[in-house]
């Protein structure tokens, strides 16, 4: 009886005492990588094991096989809107940093991206991963309508017109010896 030893990395080894080599599914251990083949270390030189050796599975002496991998390339596709035919594609490997493109649209503020699922259904939340996931991802730009607000401060701190999405973005002016109570739509408040 011979023993084969499959080495996935320095921390994980599987031993099997059968005469038939049972190649385990090692892809489950390495996210973002695909099994390229097996190598055997002979006199400190790695040699590639031919596929027919693996498929026959008969061993005649003790052997250690090392799994070799290649990185899987993933594609992130970015669109300005769901119906856009123009797509910006960025390719990378699992856990690479994503460099997001940004889109602009007059009268709107770019907020980020939402993921596009099948049938053009968008995720509820903005997509916020900073690194590539181990999958292809389709994203569409998400914008919020902005409004230009003009301010009258009655001798208080002058405030330039401001493009905002909602009232929570309005600044607080100051005027000596006065307490600011809020903004009003009507000058006769």
């Amino acid at each position: 009886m011979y023993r084969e030893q499959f080495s996935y990395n320095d921390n994980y080894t599987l031993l099997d005492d059968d005469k038939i080599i049972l190649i385990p599914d090692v892809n489950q251990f390495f996210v973002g990588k695909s099994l390229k083949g097996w190598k055997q270390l002979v006199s400190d030189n790695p040699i590639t094991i031919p596929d027919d050796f693996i498929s026959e599975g008969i061993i005649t002496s003790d052997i250690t096989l090392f799994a070799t991998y290649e990185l899987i390339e993933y594609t992130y596709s970015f669109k300005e809107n769901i119906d856009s035919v123009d797509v910006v594609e960025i390719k990378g490997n699992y856990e690479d940093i994503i460099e997001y493109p940004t889109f602009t649209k007059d009268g709107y503020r770019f907020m980020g991206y939402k993921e596009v699922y099948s049938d053009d259904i968008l995720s509820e939340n903005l997509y916020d991963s900073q690194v590539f996931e181990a999958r292809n991802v389709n994203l569409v730009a998400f914008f919020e309508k902005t409004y230009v607000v003009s301010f009258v401060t009655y001798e208080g701190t002058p405030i330039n017109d401001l493009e905002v999405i909602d009232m929570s973005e309005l600044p607080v002016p100051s005027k000596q010896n006065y307490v600011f109570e809020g903004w009003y739509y009507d000058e006769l408040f």
Side-chain angles (χ1 to χ4, degrees):
M1 180 179 295
Y2 300 104
R3 173 179 290 178
E4 72 270 9
Q5 176 178 327
F6 298 99
S7 296
Y8 304 113
N9 58 35
D10 293 336
N11 302 319
Y12 187 91
T13 302
L14 176 69
L15 300 176
D16 191 337
D17 289 331
D18 294 332
K19 283 188 172 184
I20 304 298
I21 294 178
L22 302 172
I23 303 298
D25 178 12
V26 293
N27 285 324
Q28 65 182 325
F29 297 103
F30 294 99
V31 177
K33 297 178 183 177
S34 178
L35 180 65
K36 184 176 181 181
W38 295 91
K39 291 197 181 282
Q40 178 184 17
L41 200 58
V42 177
S43 302
D44 293 331
N45 294 317
I47 60 168
T48 301
I49 304 299
D51 288 339
D52 60 348
F53 172 84
I54 298 297
S55 61
E56 289 176 21
I58 306 296
I59 56 174
T60 58
S61 64
D62 290 349
I63 186 172
T64 299
L65 299 177
F66 295 89
T68 59
Y69 294 91
E70 58 189 356
L71 294 174
I72 299 171
E73 185 175 73
Y74 297 99
T75 302
Y76 274 45
S77 300
F78 299 87
K79 294 168 89 174
E80 183 175 355
N81 61 60
I82 200 77
D83 299 321
S84 180
V85 293
D86 295 327
V87 177
V88 175
E89 288 189 345
I90 297 178
K91 297 185 182 293
N93 303 113
Y94 177 63
E95 293 190 330
D96 283 353
I97 294 174
I98 302 170
E99 294 192 26
Y100 287 94
T102 54
F103 294 99
T104 58
K105 189 175 179 181
D106 287 340
Y108 290 83
R109 184 181 302 162
F110 175 74
M111 303 301 290
Y113 290 97
K114 289 195 174 189
E115 187 168 358
V116 181
Y117 302 119
S118 61
D119 298 328
D120 290 341
I121 296 172
L122 296 179
S123 60
E124 284 187 33
N125 299 320
L126 291 176
Y127 186 82
D128 63 356
S129 179
Q130 299 302 308
V131 295
F132 275 86
E133 294 183 51
R135 64 190 182 102
N136 295 321
V137 177
N138 295 313
L139 299 165
V140 66
F142 179 68
F143 296 92
E144 289 265 352
K145 176 78 175 125
T146 57
Y147 303 92
V148 176
V149 178
S150 299
F151 301 94
V152 178
T153 60
Y154 298 107
E155 299 174 20
T157 312
I159 299 174
N160 294 331
D161 290 354
L162 189 61
E163 193 172 353
V164 299
I165 292 173
D166 61 48
M167 299 300 267
S168 67
E169 298 182 62
L170 297 181
V172 176
S174 61
K175 185 175 180 183
Q176 192 171 3
N177 298 323
Y178 286 85
V179 174
F180 179 71
E181 291 185 356
W183 293 107
Y184 298 90
Y185 291 110
D186 184 352
E187 65 183 57
L188 301 176
F189 55 93

